[in-house]
Amino acid sequence: MKISQIRFAKLAVPLITPFKTAMRTVNNIEDVVVLVETACGQIGYGAAPATPVITGDTHGSIIYAIEHLIKPQIVGMEIENINQILQRIHGSMINNNSAKAAVEIAIYDLWGKWLDKPLYQALGGGATQLKTDVTISVDGIDKMLQDSQRAIQQGFDILKIKIGKDIHMDIERVKAIYQAVGKQVQLRLDVNQGWTAKQTVFALEQLDQSGVQLELIEQPVPANDIAGMRYVTQHVSTPVMADESAFSPKQVIELIQTGAADIINIKLMKTAGLSHAIKIADIASVYNVECMIGCMLEGSIGVAAAAHLASAKASIINKIDLDGPALGQFDPVQGGVDFNGATITLSDGPGLGIDSIEQLQPLVNGVWV
Ligand code: MG
């Protein structure tokens, strides 16, 4: 199964409600779709969203990196030599993790097709159903309470609360949500780098004194403030999860060895695809450190790959935060992984199991058509 061509398309899905974090507000899921074609007529699907404030990647940079640096390295290679293909992808340039991730996802999709196995089975096997939490965007308290109630009615029993705007308001937000629904559901807090280390310790003390119980707190301090992460981890009893601080396997080793985080959030757009995500899961399991699988605000192609990985590595990836596709008004991807509220169901089709994708806008001679 020889790689013959790589093409691009755009896929846009409007959100049910705007997605708001401490960093940004977004109205659409918009991915660059990467179609890796083979001489025998197969297509491997990969995708990546633009996340300039997290990974530094934009749609333009993703397309340029793949077209001019990755594609020349891997066209003509046979899918059965997957390790060599992955090495070439990672050797093509530094950084540009989302571009590498999109291509890797398509390569693993083709590898599953070549093996004639769904990807989760090719990676070692696992369950076909996963349960995800749901994101509650940061907003006024009334709106966050409404969104929390609606999520519970929709069957979610873990809420990931986005905060990190103003610490005193944030404390009030969490207290109010815990009071309203904290006995029914588990709460995860995602501060998205919004606080300092001392503010985080202060906030968690306040919440603790109010009887608020949290499953975990995610990335309270800026990504590069590892000393701050360590300070928080050592001064609070709530488990601390690294997200924006944890991109590469090496960073994860350092976070774990220095006691800077209790849990690692793995996202394919940070790890540059599946191969390094697998390494991180294996490293974490050596240290008995739990992992979450997360995603960006992205559609169901990239998130399907994350779901397959989570299934195969379920013994260490035991927290699922893959609500991206379910936040869209519809899913244009047919076959593949089904995202239905809290329930994620993997199909048994080969690779990612994708049959077809509606509403793809191909890129032809530099223009979306
Ligand atoms: Mg996060």
Side-chain angles (χ1 to χ4, degrees):
M1 198 181 268
K2 191 194 286 276
I3 299 170
S4 58
Q5 177 61 284
I6 298 181
R7 295 182 203 279
F8 303 93
K10 192 159 73 174
L11 192 58
V13 179
L15 288 168
I16 298 166
T17 46
F19 185 84
K20 296 181 190 172
T21 74
M23 311 277 291
R24 60 194 182 135
T25 298
V26 186
N27 296 304
N28 291 297
I29 302 171
E30 224 174 74
D31 292 332
V32 171
V33 178
V34 176
L35 302 100
V36 177
E37 299 173 1
T38 67
C40 60
Q42 291 280 5
I43 300 175
Y45 296 101
T51 52
V53 295
I54 305 166
T55 66
D57 297 285
T58 64
H59 287 171
S61 75
I62 290 165
I63 292 165
Y64 189 95
I66 295 172
E67 177 69 23
H68 296 282
L69 292 143
I70 299 177
K71 182 171 142 183
Q73 292 283 323
I74 65 170
V75 164
M77 294 190 78
E78 298 281 348
I79 288 297
E80 52 262 53
N81 297 324
I82 184 167
N83 285 357
Q84 212 184 345
I85 297 172
L86 298 173
Q87 274 173 15
R88 290 216 183 165
I89 293 170
H90 286 272
S92 63
M93 69 198 136
I94 63 159
N95 302 327
N96 289 274
N97 289 2
S98 303
K100 291 172 185 167
V103 179
E104 267 212 5
I105 291 165
I107 295 296
Y108 274 94
D109 184 24
L110 286 172
W111 183 60
K113 285 172 174 151
W114 175 69
L115 292 168
D116 198 24
K117 291 265 183 294
L119 184 55
Y120 75 94
Q121 285 183 7
L123 294 175
T128 53
Q129 274 211 347
L130 307 170
K131 209 169 73 172
T132 180
D133 63 12
V134 67
T135 301
I136 305 297
S137 283
V138 61
D139 216 312
I141 288 178
D142 288 348
K143 177 75 167 74
M144 291 181 82
L145 287 175
Q146 267 174 28
D147 290 349
S148 301
Q149 301 282 12
R150 188 178 315 124
I152 292 168
Q153 282 160 16
Q154 289 167 347
F156 290 97
D157 56 14
I158 309 174
L159 308 184
K160 180 156 150 175
I161 312 290
K162 292 283 190 183
I163 48 171
K165 289 211 126 172
D166 167 284
I167 183 151
H168 298 288
M169 263 301 289
D170 286 336
I171 293 170
E172 295 312 311
R173 288 181 171 106
V174 178
K175 278 187 194 168
I177 293 169
Y178 185 81
Q179 225 164 32
V181 302
K183 295 278 176 332
Q184 298 163 257
V185 292
Q186 269 189 317
L187 298 183
R188 299 171 173 166
L189 295 190
D190 189 355
V191 189
N192 282 110
Q193 315 179 58
W195 296 342
T196 66
K198 291 204 174 191
Q199 281 180 323
T200 307
V201 174
F202 167 78
L204 288 175
E205 277 169 0
Q206 298 284 307
L207 292 170
D208 195 41
Q209 281 165 21
S210 307
V212 173
Q213 288 177 18
L214 302 168
E215 185 197 356
L216 58 87
I217 184 163
E218 176 173 350
Q219 196 68 47
V221 301
N224 59 9
D225 185 11
I226 305 303
M229 284 281 281
R230 187 179 313 121
Y231 179 87
V232 173
T233 302
Q234 289 171 353
H235 287 83
V236 303
S237 55
T238 305
V240 177
M241 180 163 72
D243 182 8
E244 289 90 338
S245 293
F247 273 54
S248 68
K250 192 153 179 283
Q251 283 175 326
V252 168
I253 291 172
E254 283 166 11
L255 286 166
I256 294 175
Q257 286 201 330
T258 60
D262 302 299
I263 309 169
I264 304 296
N265 189 345
I266 300 172
K267 293 178 182 168
L268 300 183
M269 294 303 137
K270 295 187 298 169
T271 59
L274 286 148
S275 62
H276 287 190
I278 292 166
K279 282 184 190 163
I280 289 175
D282 290 343
I283 288 162
S285 77
V286 169
Y287 292 93
N288 261 323
V289 166
E290 296 178 325
C291 295
M292 172 181 280
I293 187 86
C295 59
M296 302 300 180
L297 186 61
E298 58 183 306
S300 73
I301 301 171
V303 183
H308 280 265
L309 173 70
S311 165
K313 294 285 179 185
S315 62
I316 200 72
I317 302 176
N318 56 15
K319 301 176 196 307
I320 313 283
D321 175 32
L322 298 178
D323 65 345
L327 302 177
Q329 292 181 12
F330 55 88
D331 187 354
V333 179
Q334 307 299 314
V337 175
D338 180 52
F339 296 88
N340 183 11
T343 306
I344 296 173
T345 309
L346 279 59
S347 82
D348 263 345
L352 298 177
I354 293 169
D355 295 324
S356 62
I357 304 173
E358 291 163 9
Q359 305 191 4
L360 276 182
Q361 294 174 260
L363 184 67
V364 180
N365 297 324
V367 182
W368 303 110
V369 296

